Amino acid sequence: GENVEQHPSTLSVQEGDSAVIKCTYSDSASNYFPWYKQELGKRPQLIIDIRSNVGEKKDQRIAVTLNKTAKHFSLHITETQPEDSAVYFCAASQGYALNFGKGTSLLVTP
Amino acid sequence: GAVVSQHPSWVICKSGTSVKIECRSLDFQATTMFWYRQFPKQSLMLMATSNEGSKATYEQGVEKDKFLINHASLTLSTLTVTSAHPEDSSFYICSARDNGRHQETQYFGPGTRLLVL
């Protein structure tokens, strides 16, 4: 089955800096890659997603890049703010079930 | 749009009792819903896929007789934890796919925190 690796497990940045989280996947048939943000005790919220026919997607301060050949995708957050502090999960899917990475705990310090 | 609710939000029960958790899509129809379990500081682990009108598909290692899933309508799936034990204590989250939108996108419920004493 699909195996999704996510790094780093924790990330601390200063407010205003950029944060990058990287994921790799094992199944070349995966074609959908969402990123979720989860605050403590709350539901995961979809923040951005990308499909395999696209190499990059941007939404304001958030961007995701996908390298199908290398089977990795990354989340980029620019101009980080304290409210960006949360756990971020990447996932890979063949259009059905989501296989999640282990998560990255991001801390943005003022 | 794309709102998913869960009920109850938290439950405390005695060991040996059964607990039912409801997952509803409020403003869309969902043929497919998913049930996840999340232990503290861990990722979401898929337990089963629930399809309206048919039997659920369980992931390897998940006991179907212990975690009963029913998806009787396009807006409601239920998960019943039968004969709950302390090791079943966890955060249970459902998600739903909107029939009318990109089929890959999953919208999550707020989760149900279960504590078995």
Side-chain angles (χ1 to χ4, degrees):
Chain A
E2 175 65 273
N3 182 42
V4 179
E5 299 281 341
Q6 184 172 346
H7 298 281
S9 57
T10 60
L11 179 60
S12 183
V13 300
Q14 286 208 315
E15 182 177 1
D17 289 348
S18 295
V20 180
I21 303 171
K22 299 182 179 182
C23 287
T24 60
Y25 60 100
S26 61
D27 194 336
S28 57
S30 291
N31 56 15
Y32 175 62
F33 308 92
W35 286 88
Y36 286 86
K37 174 183 179 182
Q38 187 180 30
E39 297 177 357
L40 190 62
K42 297 190 176 180
R43 79 183 81 193
Q45 290 193 308
L46 179 68
I47 56 172
I48 196 166
D49 58 10
I50 192 167
R51 290 171 176 81
S52 60
N53 58 347
V54 176
E56 184 175 355
K57 184 176 178 181
K58 189 174 181 179
D59 183 4
Q60 299 184 332
R61 296 186 298 111
I62 296 173
V64 57
T65 59
L66 171 65
N67 184 326
K68 286 192 299 181
T69 303
K71 287 189 279 190
H72 68 70
F73 56 112
S74 300
L75 176 71
H76 303 252
I77 306 174
T78 59
E79 300 172 27
T80 54
Q81 301 166 2
E83 49 266 38
D84 294 329
S85 297
V87 179
Y88 291 81
F89 293 99
C90 65
S93 170
Q94 294 178 32
Y96 203 61
L98 291 175
N99 297 284
F100 284 90
K102 292 189 182 298
T104 296
S105 179
L106 173 64
L107 177 64
V108 181
T109 54
Chain B
V3 179
V4 177
S5 70
Q6 265 182 257
H7 179 81
S9 56
W10 59 270
V11 59
I12 302 173
C13 68
K14 292 182 179 179
S15 185
T17 60
S18 294
V19 176
K20 180 186 279 191
I21 303 170
E22 293 185 347
C23 177
R24 292 180 186 274
S25 56
L26 299 185
D27 53 358
F28 64 96
Q29 293 186 328
T31 300
T32 304
M33 293 184 176
F34 302 88
W35 287 95
Y36 296 84
R37 183 166 52 183
Q38 186 177 34
F39 292 106
K41 296 187 178 181
Q42 292 190 23
S43 188
L44 291 86
M45 297 300 296
L46 180 65
M47 298 176 66
T49 302
S50 170
N51 291 296
E52 186 266 337
S54 63
K55 290 183 178 180
T57 303
Y58 290 82
E59 295 299 301
Q60 193 173 7
V62 178
E63 300 175 56
K64 62 179 182 181
D65 294 330
K66 181 169 181 63
F67 298 98
L68 301 178
I69 291 172
N70 184 276
H71 194 153
S73 78
L74 288 173
T75 59
L76 174 64
S77 175
T78 61
L79 168 69
T80 301
V81 183
T82 62
S83 187
H85 291 285
E87 57 266 29
D88 298 323
S89 299
S90 187
F91 191 47
Y92 292 86
I93 312 177
C94 70
S95 71
R97 290 169 43 162
D98 186 343
N99 289 1
R101 301 188 189 193
H102 286 298
Q103 292 263 313
E104 311 95 334
T105 303
Q106 292 186 26
Y107 301 96
F108 283 85
T112 297
R113 196 163 299 280
L114 171 63
L115 176 61
V116 185
L117 302 176

